[in-house]
Amino acid sequence: KAASLVNAVADGSGSIPPYAHHNVSIAGVPCAVQRLDLLGTMGYLVTVPRGDLESVRGALTQAGARPAGADVFDALRIESGL
């Protein structure tokens, strides 16, 4: 699901290989999208310029993404035993 969501909102994402990144545009904002295994399963990390966070977050959540902060990742890593 994550791959189809990223492909739907990120212009220029194509197919991002594991542990790689692409520079893309989400909601007209230049972003870096990285495909990582942070929680025991492949997912995406989106790096956004601070001033454009809300427009990018809006595009991602409207497409079905559920944003998570660093605290959530730490808790899930501990639960996964990573």
Side-chain angles (χ1 to χ4, degrees):
K1 180 177 178 179
S4 62
L5 188 144
V6 168
N7 288 330
V9 298
D11 298 333
S13 66
S15 177
I16 302 173
Y19 306 104
H21 81 280
H22 283 182
N23 293 318
V24 301
S25 175
I26 299 175
V29 176
C31 305
V33 175
Q34 302 168 5
R35 188 168 178 211
L36 302 171
D37 178 4
L38 296 173
L39 305 171
T41 184
M42 292 306 291
Y44 294 86
L45 177 67
V46 180
T47 305
V48 180
R50 184 181 302 252
D52 296 310
L53 175 63
E54 292 305 318
S55 59
V56 172
R57 182 188 310 208
L60 289 167
T61 55
Q62 190 172 36
R66 295 179 303 187
D71 292 339
V72 172
F73 282 97
D74 288 341
L76 290 171
R77 274 194 293 268
I78 291 168
E79 289 177 8
S80 296
L82 299 175

